[in-house]
Amino acid sequence: MTRRISWTLLAVLVLAQICYPLTTGATRAGLTVATVVLGWLLSVGHALLSRGPRVAAALVAVATGGGFAIEAIGVATGVPFGSYDYSGELGPKLAGVPLIIPLAWTWMAWPAWLAAVRLTGGRAATANGSGSTVGRWVGRIALATVGLAAWDLFLDPQMVAEGYWVWRDATPALPGLAGIPVSNYLGWLLFAVLMMSALRPLAGPAAEHTDRRDHPMVALYLWTYFSSILAHAVFLDLPASALWGAAGMSVTAVPLAVTLLRARRGGDSGREAHQPHRPGVDATR
């Protein structure tokens, strides 16, 4: 049931994203809002159905609640992203922040986290000493942080090009990404590391492993990576962000794709296939 619902939502999300380059103006803005809402429903719904209310509540608190808080602070003070304003094209605002913006943080935070968990062994180490446990935790947080923050190398150039938000001072900027200050990407890294560091303690041990139910989230992450490169390079006329995004998200996306290919060639569905079932966690499988 979990995978069926997740795959269905993912299919609708993919269809909406395919339609994006084919639209303009208010239709494109409406499609953007719809896509973000679908992404939020997909990630939160998957967390709820696969791991229960504690994990879903932690995700909403950290990513949706935290996302709104950091955006409201950013709009009001210019910290930590730089000084910027949202247009009115993305729907109603609260404290100057369109209500869909925190949903976007949530949409990609969950697949980025699961990708990092998948790449760092499926579960936190518990029997190999504190050094091993700490090392795995640090690696997991780092991968999840970069996996989420690097997405903005695609997102911000695309949204700025559409006029959905504008920077008051866009210097210094990365080469080819005029209109967006470097401080924005540093702000993403800062908030992403705080978010990922808080997610596991709040979510509990159910967030420490992956299994077959997480395949739609892994597919979402890899689809976002490869489709964004194609869209920016070919359909949106944003070649610089195609290159920057490809390089940034590759830190997580490429090892993830390689790991999955190796698992497939090895004749099993991946490391998560060997995880034990956990009472209460696997009940919705």
Side-chain angles (χ1 to χ4, degrees):
M1 177 65 73
T2 298
R3 286 194 292 171
R4 187 157 56 244
I5 293 173
S6 296
W7 281 121
T8 300
L9 282 172
L10 178 59
V12 177
L13 175 62
V14 168
L15 179 61
Q17 291 182 313
I18 289 173
C19 291
Y20 179 89
L22 307 177
T23 61
T24 57
T27 301
R28 179 174 284 190
L31 193 57
T32 299
V33 172
T35 300
V36 173
V37 172
L38 281 168
W40 186 89
L41 289 172
L42 174 57
S43 289
V44 175
H46 176 272
L48 176 63
L49 293 173
S50 66
R51 287 167 175 81
R54 177 179 174 178
V55 175
L59 178 62
V60 171
V62 169
T64 309
F68 174 77
I70 198 70
E71 291 284 351
I73 292 169
V75 169
T77 69
V79 178
F81 306 107
S83 187
Y84 62 104
D85 292 296
Y86 285 103
S87 72
E89 295 185 68
L90 295 179
K93 301 178 186 178
L94 180 62
V97 180
L99 295 178
I100 69 157
I101 296 300
L103 306 189
W105 284 100
T106 315
W107 167 20
M108 284 303 295
W110 184 236
W113 171 260
L114 291 177
V117 171
R118 179 66 175 82
L119 288 171
T120 53
R123 290 186 296 174
T126 57
N128 296 325
S130 60
S132 176
T133 301
V134 171
R136 184 170 297 194
W137 183 85
V138 170
R140 182 169 295 171
I141 296 301
L143 276 172
T145 294
V146 173
L148 174 60
W151 176 51
D152 193 51
L153 292 164
F154 290 120
L155 180 65
D156 242 286
Q158 182 177 336
M159 298 297 103
V160 167
E162 294 295 335
Y164 296 153
W165 55 82
V166 62
W167 298 90
R168 297 171 192 159
D169 181 5
T171 56
L174 293 175
L177 300 184
I180 307 160
V182 171
S183 60
N184 172 65
Y185 302 110
L186 297 177
W188 267 72
L189 282 169
L190 172 63
F191 180 56
V193 73
L194 293 175
M195 185 192 310
M196 297 305 179
S197 297
L199 182 58
R200 164 58 184 88
L202 290 175
E208 287 187 336
H209 73 284
T210 61
D211 58 38
R212 295 171 187 265
R213 297 166 301 170
D214 300 328
H215 290 175
M217 293 293 99
V218 172
L220 170 60
Y221 194 82
L222 294 178
W223 158 260
T224 299
Y225 178 61
F226 291 109
S227 68
S228 294
I229 295 172
L230 178 64
H232 284 236
V234 177
F235 298 106
L236 301 178
D237 194 26
L238 296 169
S241 59
L243 291 172
W244 279 106
M249 279 190 77
S250 70
V251 173
T252 300
V254 170
L256 179 62
V258 170
T259 297
L260 295 175
L261 285 172
R262 286 177 176 172
R264 186 176 183 85
R265 289 172 181 171
D268 74 67
S269 60
R271 186 180 293 121
E272 71 276 11
H274 304 292
Q275 296 296 336
H277 296 313
R278 301 182 179 197
V281 174
D282 296 319
T284 58
R285 194 179 178 95

